[in-house]
Amino acid sequence: MRLGPEGKIVNSNVLIHQEYSTFLKSNAKKCRYNSGHWIEVGHYGLLQAEGTAAGQGRINCIAFHPSNPDILFVGVAAGGLWKCSDYGSTWMPLTDGLPSIVISGVTIDPDNPKRIWTLTGHGNHNWSIGILYSSNSGKTWEKKSNKFQKTL
């Protein structure tokens, strides 16, 4: 599943991100992202089934705005980066326009809170596409490093 054309192991998340970036560049005028309107409808109070984890997901990291305690960010195991501006009541996805990624770390610049860095990937289960950076509070992202990619 992770073998490339030469039969060597490749980081498929990096390839997906590269193809996605190429697609956006060639189709910039055609592509518009609309997150729609989602409402949570349940199921609440899930019980842990044998061999599975309880609940629906996992938060890997949390970062707090340096001067506004109502604003916080969470990195989700299989759902990207999310922002809350009302102390946890409502959440907005910040990375939905990107290929599906795991966020394992997030930090906010204390001198300029519009600057956000995220670390992608998680252990042996989800490979990294590197460090992503936003200079505009998560509206757009750029890849800053491949340093943490797995290579064989």
Side-chain angles (χ1 to χ4, degrees):
M1 176 167 113
R2 296 187 190 248
L3 296 181
E6 292 97 32
K8 294 182 180 180
I9 295 177
V10 296
N11 186 336
S12 57
N13 286 345
V14 170
L15 296 177
I16 290 168
H17 189 266
Q18 289 170 346
E19 289 298 318
Y20 180 75
S21 296
T22 301
F23 171 80
L24 284 181
K25 287 176 186 172
S26 62
N27 295 287
K29 292 182 180 177
K30 298 178 196 173
C31 294
R32 291 191 180 144
Y33 178 74
N34 182 354
S35 64
H37 178 71
W38 292 84
I39 298 170
E40 184 179 3
V41 295
H43 179 84
Y44 305 101
L46 292 175
L47 299 175
Q48 184 170 350
E50 185 177 331
T52 64
Q56 292 294 306
R58 180 182 75 235
I59 293 175
N60 282 340
C61 53
I62 299 174
F64 298 91
H65 191 281
S67 60
N68 185 341
D70 289 341
I71 300 175
L72 56 136
F73 301 82
V74 296
V76 183
L81 185 69
W82 292 74
K83 177 182 178 181
C84 172
S85 297
D86 55 10
Y87 200 66
S89 295
T90 58
W91 294 88
M92 178 177 80
L94 297 180
T95 54
D96 274 0
L98 299 174
S100 180
I101 56 173
V102 172
I103 302 295
S104 56
V106 60
T107 188
I108 312 302
D109 185 333
D111 297 322
N112 181 356
K114 291 182 177 185
R115 296 172 48 166
I116 305 169
W117 288 266
T118 63
L119 177 62
T120 65
H122 183 265
N124 294 327
H125 304 291
N126 302 99
W127 290 22
S128 174
I129 60 171
I131 296 171
L132 299 178
Y133 168 74
S134 175
S135 61
N136 54 15
S137 300
K139 292 177 185 154
T140 60
W141 295 92
E142 64 180 283
K143 198 164 133 180
K144 292 304 268 187
S145 169
N146 293 331
K147 188 173 182 179
F148 298 103
Q149 289 177 186
K150 283 188 178 181
T151 56
L152 296 177

